[in-house]
Amino acid sequence: ELGIKFEEVTKAMFEDLGFKVDEALRKQVNTKRDKIDILVSLDDGQVLLVECKTAKDSNYNKFSAITRQLNAYRALLSSQNVQVAKCLIVAPDFSEDFVADAEMDYELAPSLLTASALYAIHSAFKGQSKHKAMPQKLFSHARDVLIDSDRVVKAMSR
C-alpha cells in the first residue's frame, strides 16, 4: 500500500538525518485502535510525534480529523509518561485551508512538512559533512506552521 511505503521512506529519511526513530516505544504504546506512525526520541527525553498522510480523501484533507487523531496519540503517550515535544505532519502537500486551520491550533501547535521539503532537507544534509545528525531544533522550533526547507537548509549550513 502507498501509505505504508510513504511511512517507511519517511522513517528512513529521519534515520538518515540522524534522528533516533524509536520503534520499541512505538510498539509499546500502540493499541489496536491508535497506531502512531513514527516516534522520534529526542535528547531531552521527549518525543517528536510524526504523522504521515498520503490519502487525498475528504477525511484527511480536514485538519480536524487529524487533530483528533494526534490528540489521542498525545493522550496515549502521556498515559505512558512520555511527553510530546512537537507534532509533525508529513504529507505530499497541504491545502491552504489545512495550513490555515493548523496555524489556528495553538494547543497542538503542529508543524507541517511536505514530502518535497523533507526530501530537499535530506538531500542537503547528506550533501554536507558539518553535522553528524541534523539539529533537532530545526524541526521543533519552526517559525511557521509550514516548514520552509530553504530556511532549514540555510540554518543547517551555519
Side-chain angles (χ1 to χ4, degrees):
E1 182 184 301
L2 181 62
I4 292 170
K5 281 292 178 196
F6 187 74
E7 283 179 32
E8 289 172 358
V9 169
T10 302
K11 186 184 309 179
M13 292 178 103
F14 273 95
E15 290 172 336
D16 276 355
L17 290 169
F19 288 104
K20 183 183 180 271
V21 174
D22 198 333
E23 277 299 301
L25 178 60
R26 187 182 74 83
K27 288 177 182 176
Q28 175 188 325
V29 299
N30 275 357
T31 66
K32 287 183 180 182
R33 190 177 140 210
D34 293 318
K35 300 205 180 290
I36 297 170
D37 291 343
I38 301 170
L39 278 178
V40 175
S41 289
L42 303 176
D43 294 338
D44 61 4
Q46 297 182 359
V47 295
L48 176 64
L49 174 59
V50 182
E51 180 64 18
C52 299
K53 292 297 176 196
T54 54
K56 286 277 191 176
D57 65 34
S58 61
N59 229 10
Y60 292 124
N61 276 343
K62 294 188 186 235
F63 180 71
S64 60
I66 294 173
T67 300
R68 285 188 294 275
Q69 187 178 17
L70 291 175
N71 281 325
Y73 295 163
R74 282 179 41 184
L76 183 63
L77 288 161
S78 180
S79 74
Q80 299 286 317
N81 295 316
V82 177
Q83 187 175 3
V84 176
K86 187 72 170 169
C87 293
L88 180 65
I89 303 168
V90 182
D93 203 5
F94 299 98
S95 69
E96 287 181 27
D97 288 342
F98 192 99
V99 173
D101 288 347
E103 285 176 333
M104 293 299 166
D105 191 328
Y106 295 104
E107 184 181 329
L108 190 59
S111 289
L112 309 178
L113 182 64
T114 63
S116 59
L118 177 58
Y119 180 76
I121 291 165
H122 180 267
S123 297
F125 177 79
K126 296 308 276 181
Q128 57 88 31
S129 61
K130 184 177 179 180
H131 301 284
K132 289 184 180 181
M134 185 176 155
Q136 298 172 1
K137 290 182 180 183
L138 295 181
F139 277 142
S140 61
H141 293 290
R143 285 189 218 170
D144 300 318
V145 70
L146 185 60
I147 295 174
D148 182 339
S149 61
D150 291 336
R151 278 191 201 159
V152 173
V153 169
K154 188 176 180 180
M156 228 181 344
S157 66
R158 292 183 175 190

